[in-house]
Each structure stands twice: as C-alpha cells, then as structure tokens.
C-alpha cells in the first residue's frame, strides 16, 4: 500500500542522523549568539556613541541598521538555505557574522559602525533560518524533536536577557568593543563543529530557480515596514514620512503576494503561509514578541533609571525570567508536547505570561523587586517558555523538506517585525502617558523643588504601566489566535489535519510531522 501524506515520515526523513545531538550543540550555540546580539549592543550603545562621536540623532541607526538588514533579508536567506544547502548557509552565515562583528568592534567612526551592523543583520538573516530548518530536518522522532525544540525555544526566549547580563559585564569591566568581539569565538566554534557533524537528508534541497521579483519586493517591503515602525517611535505616527513608509510597505508587500501567487517557483510559496497551523504560529508569535520587547525595554529603564541599578545588576535582575523560560520550555513544553495538542500549551502559556505582565501594571516608584517584579518575571518566563517550544516546532508543520528554510524564516520574520512594532508602539504609548502625567502634575512638580525628580520618576512609571496594560491585551490576543487557528492534535490522537492553501496543500511530498501523528 503506498504511503500517503498522513502516514509517511515527517519531512521526508529516513533514519535519524547519528550526529543529531552533537549538531544541536552547535546550532544552539549559533542561535545563542544571534539572540545575544539583539540586546548586548543596547547596553554598550551609550559608551560606543561617546567613543565614536555618533550624534544623538544617528545613534538609533546602530540598532536600526541591523534590524532593517535582518528583517528585510530573512525570506531571501531562508530560500537560499533551501536552495544552497542549510549546512552551507549556516556556516557561511556564521563566518560572515564573525567578520562583521570584528569590523564593529574595530570601528573607528560612525560609518564603519553602521556598515558593520548592517552586515551583521544580513549574515544573521542567512544564519537564523538555516539553524531552525536544520533542526526540522534532522530531528524526526517525536520525543527527541520535543527535547531539541525545547532547548532551542529556551535559548530563543531567554537569550536576550542573558545578553543584558553579558553586555553589562563587558561594558562595565572591559570595553564596549568586547560586546562585538565576543561573537567571534561563538561563531568559530559553531562553524567548525557544524561543518564536521551536520549532515542534511538527501534530496532536501529546493533546486527551483530563484524568484528574483519576489526577492526584490519582499526585501523592499519588509525594510520599509520595519523602518516605518522605527521612524514612528522617533518622529510620531502622524509624521508624513512615517505614513508614506507604511503606505509603501502595503503596496510592496501586496505586490509580493500577487507575484508569489502567479510565478512557477515562488520565493515564499503561499502554501507555507496559509496552512492554518503555521499561520497561527507566525501570527501568535509576532504578537507575543510585541509584548516581550516592550517588557525588556521598560523593565531595563525602570531598574536602571528609577531604581538606580547598575548595568550588571540589571542583567542579574532578569535571571528569574531566564530560569522560568528554561523551565517552561524544557520541563513543561517538551514533556507535554507529545501528550497534549500544541494549542493547549501555546494558549495557556501565553495566558500565564499575560498574568505575569498584569502584575507589572502595579509598578510604583518604590515597588519591591522580590514582592512584585520577581514573581511577575517567573510567570512571564514559564508562560513564554511553555508556548515558544511547540511554536518553534510547529513552524515547519506539514512543510516539505525543500521549503523548511523559508518556513523557518517566517518565524524569524514574524518576531523581527513584532519586535519593531513592539518597540515603536509601546514606547509611543509610554511616552504619551508620561507627558500627560507631567502636564497634569506640572504645578506639583514646580512646588516640589528638590523633590521634582520624584515627580519625574512617577511620570515614567505611569507611562510604563500604561504601555504594559497594552502588552497584557496583546498577549491575550496571542493566546486567542493560538487557540483558534492551531488545530493539529496530540501524537497518536489522529487530530484534524489542516488544509493547505488550496493548491494541493503542501503536496504529497509533505508529511505530517511527528507531533501531529
């Protein structure tokens, strides 16, 4: 009896790769490097700005140059990994990221720094989807897949907070340049290890010709979209150029979807995007990241500016969240993933995280770390870790091995765009609430004299609380999306199989993943 899409092995895999656990070490190391870089540079930015003479108006480009290159090139990087080979893309991405990091650490001026950051983003866009898709094609056993994605999810969720600790240490005790140089040993070890132990399944590449119109439209559309949100943070949502950026991104991304629906070998086959379980993952993760980026931003400023913590102490203050994420991902998500439907991990996980966020709406200038911030972080970490693990695994749900790279890239794209939205949207809400509080209490501040700083601190906290309320609602929406759209069942339950895009689903080549047997 011939195999069908419901009975074949996941992702076309044969026997498990004997080196898969060794490979996971180097894939996880590379993922940690990329996630660390997202926050470690933030801690070093004030020192780098002073040394390199970067103006206040241009300092945001140290962050924005990376975000634009990374977000704009992710889909292209994912398809290159599918076409060229994931191991090749992974190793080249690591080497390029290391060289760009060395350039940033050795920067002598503004232009050199911004160029290095853009190169980091470009090579990160090649590296990140290759790493996730390697896991998808190498781990095919249900229990092993759960453990592998549990580790990956914990790193993806908690690595940013680790970056705050490491960035604080390096900046405070060495030099800001080491926040770049520290990437080099990570990259070298991961590249050498991956070259020696990673082996891809035979026949897993996508040999179709590259969709150049799709590359151009998606890259321009995503770059313009990310820049629009970045500009909104500094220039305002009603700024003429901000509005033009959003309008241009709608036109470019709309044209991209139209092209992808008509070309023979699309950059992003719509079947990858429209399968309801993958679509639910991309949307729910994007929403969750909006809330999480706001949390990192506001808690960092609250602890350093309001509470007077040093960079190193601030980093250590985030440790409970890291512990919660690791526990939620490896001990809850990984253990239950093969026993309950993924939506019953993701939905409740996001709701637990929303509960932790809800606690933080009670922030005051004199709030206790152990009485409020610590339990809130533990709930946030447990919830996000539990939800992230099945989400990472489901990103390649029912996808052909040849499309694993671009499907993985969509996860990173949703997170990158979510991060840009979260930073701009929540920061704008916080700033507006802070300004309104200061206007309402202008007389009190003038009469306070020496205590005027307390009024300013209270205004900042009022702004953070207002934005965190929005983050609570966004996390609740993320839970609703996961519960409504993700319908794959637990292993062995014969749960519903989501249809594809209507164009043959993902074709007979696509196999139901182990998590949905």
């Amino acid at each position: 009896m011939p195999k069908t899409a419901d009975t074949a092995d996941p992702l076309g895999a044969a026997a498990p790769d004997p080196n898969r656990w060794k490979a996971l070490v180097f894939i996880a190391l590379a993922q940690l490097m990329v996630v660390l870089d997202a926050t470690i540079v933030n801690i070093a930015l004030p020192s780098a700005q002073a040394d390199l003479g970067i103006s206040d108006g241009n300092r945001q480009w140290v962050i924005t140059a990376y975000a634009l290159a990374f977000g704009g090139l992710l889909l292209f990087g994912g398809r290159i990994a599918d076409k060229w080979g994931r191991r090749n893309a992974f190793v080249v991405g690591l080497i390029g990221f290391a060289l760009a990091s060395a350039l940033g650490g050795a920067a002598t001026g503004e232009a050199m720094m911004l160029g290095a950051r853009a190169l980091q983003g470009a090579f990160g866009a090649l590296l990140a989807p290759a790493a996730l898709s390697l896991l998808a094609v190498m781990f095919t056993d249900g229990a092993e897949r759960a453990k592998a994605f549990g580790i990956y999810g914990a790193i993806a969720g908690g690595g940013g907070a680790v970056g705050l600790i490491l960035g604080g240490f390096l900046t405070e005790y060495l030099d800001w340049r080491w926040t770049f140089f520290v990437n080099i040993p990570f990259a070298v070890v991961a590249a050498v290890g991956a070259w020696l132990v990673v082996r891809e399944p035979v026949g897993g590449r996508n040999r179709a010709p590259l969709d150049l119109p799709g590359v151009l439209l998606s890259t321009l559309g995503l770059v313009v979209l990310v820049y629009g949100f970045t500009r909104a943070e500094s220039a305002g949502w009603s700024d003429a150029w901000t509005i033009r950026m959003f309008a241009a991104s709608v036109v470019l991304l709309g044209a991209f979807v139209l092209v992808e629906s008509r070309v023979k070998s699309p950059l992003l086959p719509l079947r990858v995007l429209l399968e309801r379980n993958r679509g639910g993952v991309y949307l729910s993760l994007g929403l969750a990241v909006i809330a999480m980026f706001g949390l990192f931003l506001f808690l960092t400023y609250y602890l350093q500016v309001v509470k007077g913590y040093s960079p190193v102490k601030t980093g250590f203050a985030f440790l409970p969240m890291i512990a919660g994420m690791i526990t939620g991902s490896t001990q809850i998500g990984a253990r239950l993933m093969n026993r309950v439907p993924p939506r019953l991990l993701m939905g409740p996980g996001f709701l637990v995280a929303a509960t932790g966020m809800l606690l933080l709406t009670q922030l005051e200038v004199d709030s206790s770390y152990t009485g409020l911030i610590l339990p809130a972080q533990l709930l946030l970490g447990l919830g996000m870790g539990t939800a992230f693990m099945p989400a990472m695994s489901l990103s390649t749900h029912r996808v052909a091995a040849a499309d694993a790279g671009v499907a993985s890239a969509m996860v990173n794209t949703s997170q990158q765009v979510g991060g840009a939205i979260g930073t701009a949207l929540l920061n704008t809400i916080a700033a507006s609430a802070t300004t309104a509080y200061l206007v309402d209490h202008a007389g009190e501040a003038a009469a306070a004299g020496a205590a005027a700083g307390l009024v300013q601190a209270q205004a900042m906290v009022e702004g953070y609380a207002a934005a965190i309320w929005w983050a609570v609602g966004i996390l609740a929406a993320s839970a609703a999306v996961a519960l409504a759209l993700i319908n794959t069942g637990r292993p062995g339950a014969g749960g519903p199989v989501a249809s594809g895009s209507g164009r043959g689903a993902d074709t007979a080549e696509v196999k139901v993943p182990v998590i949905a047997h």
Side-chain angles (χ1 to χ4, degrees), residues 23 26-31 81 84-96 123 126-132 134 187 190-191 193-195 198:
F26 301 113
I27 293 170
L29 186 64
Q31 173 66 9
W84 189 23
R86 294 167 195 89
R87 185 184 71 165
N88 293 336
F90 184 71
V91 172
V92 170
L94 282 166
I95 294 171
F123 284 108
L126 182 63
L127 168 62
L132 183 55
L134 277 172
W195 188 258
V198 171

Side-chain angles (χ1 to χ4, degrees), residues 74 82 101 124 136 173 268 330 420 439 447 503:
L74 270 167
D82 287 333
S101 298
Y173 297 118
L268 175 62
T330 61
V439 170
R503 295 178 58 187

